[in-house]
Amino acid sequence: MDGNGRWATKRFLPRLAGHKKGLDALRRCVRLCMERGVGILTVFAFSSENWGRPPEEVSGLMALMASALAREVPELAQEGVRLHFVGARANLPAKVQAGFAQAEAATAHNQQLVLNICFNYGGRWDMAQAAAKVAAAGQALTQENLSAAMALAHVPDPDLLIRTGGELRLSNFLLWQAAYAELFFTDRLWPDFDAPDLDAALAQFAQRERRFGQTSDQLSPSQAN
Ligand code: FPP
């Protein structure tokens, strides 16, 4: 969800105003995904590296998260959204930690859409914590054991990865899980991301041939020759 800061700066607003608009865009995107039958949505809301931002932006994002939890969770729960918060929790404010636990408990039985909110998350953090877990359990460091120990083990690998804001990089997001994800990059700043953008991404996804290392002929043998 990149581009909140630039969205705000273009309007001579503080960066936090962009994050607030970003939250509105997330809410809209959750609804759009449900309307389109997307079953799992995973978003990057705060990276392990975002602690390095100016202190007022970091505390603003923490406060925004705490207030968003209080305001949004009852409605999300009613709409059938199941929330998971993915990332290291220990160094987050107590209010945010408690809000995560409450939100996960309140939505645990929902099945309409799984919404994974990556917060204090990094792909490298996830791989390291998974490896530590596997080693502590005395298991072999196999791909299967590592996958099962990842913070996103409760969902399959993503099919489509969308990055807004014009940058062409993954920035430590889903490094393990995105091995075969189709990538979609758009210049749209996250607060402006709306139905036409999501539909463009889904339409492009539908055109992609997913070979998973195989050849086209192997995928549709009847069309070979
Ligand atoms: C990246 O844009 C965005 C973030 C670091 C925060 C994303 C947060 C939200 C969408 C709000 C919902 C989440 C919470 C915390 C309730 P950027 O700030 O890097 O934008 P820039 O590249 O234009 O500076």
Side-chain angles (χ1 to χ4, degrees), residues 110-184:
N110 284 345
Q111 294 187 341
Q112 199 67 25
L113 175 92
V114 172
L115 174 58
N116 298 308
I117 300 190
C118 294
F119 198 86
N120 199 16
Y121 167 90
R124 290 178 174 180
W125 163 83
D126 196 11
M127 286 192 255
Q129 71 79 30
K133 229 190 267 177
V134 168
Q139 298 172 328
L141 275 171
T142 61
Q143 291 190 35
E144 289 70 25
N145 289 340
L146 281 169
S147 287
M150 293 276 169
L152 277 160
H154 58 284
V155 284
D157 287 346
D159 292 310
L160 170 64
L161 191 154
I162 300 172
R163 180 174 184 148
T164 58
E167 310 291 0
L168 304 180
R169 54 178 172 255
L170 293 182
S171 299
N172 206 11
F173 190 46
L174 304 183
L175 296 183
W176 177 271
Q177 295 86 351
Y180 280 99
E182 296 298 326
L183 308 181
F184 181 86

Side-chain angles (χ1 to χ4, degrees), residues 61-129:
L61 280 165
M62 295 298 156
L64 187 61
M65 177 50 91
S67 69
L69 285 165
R71 203 178 53 241
E72 305 287 350
V73 169
E75 207 174 288
L76 289 170
Q78 258 194 350
E79 288 171 17
V81 175
R82 179 167 188 179
L83 278 156
H84 288 273
F85 294 90
V86 179
R89 295 202 189 177
N91 50 346
L92 295 176
K95 198 171 169 187
V96 170
Q97 289 188 42
F100 284 180
Q102 279 161 13
E104 286 178 341
T107 62
H109 301 294
N110 284 345
Q111 294 187 341
Q112 199 67 25
L113 175 92
V114 172
L115 174 58
N116 298 308
I117 300 190
C118 294
F119 198 86
N120 199 16
Y121 167 90
R124 290 178 174 180
W125 163 83
D126 196 11
M127 286 192 255
Q129 71 79 30

Side-chain angles (χ1 to χ4, degrees), residues 1-6 15 19 22 45 50 53 61 65 190:
M1 301 187 288
D2 196 14
N4 296 345
R6 277 165 287 163
R15 292 177 57 84
H19 295 315
N50 285 152
R53 291 195 172 198
L61 280 165
M65 177 50 91
W190 174 251

Side-chain angles (χ1 to χ4, degrees), residues 9 42 110 155 161 188 202 210 218:
T9 304
T42 301
N110 284 345
V155 284
L161 191 154
R188 188 83 64 218
L202 294 175
R210 308 192 72 199
Q218 284 176 299

Side-chain angles (χ1 to χ4, degrees), residues 6-14 189 192:
R6 277 165 287 163
W7 185 95
T9 304
K10 269 173 45 177
R11 291 163 177 78
F12 307 101
L13 294 168
L189 302 178
D192 293 327

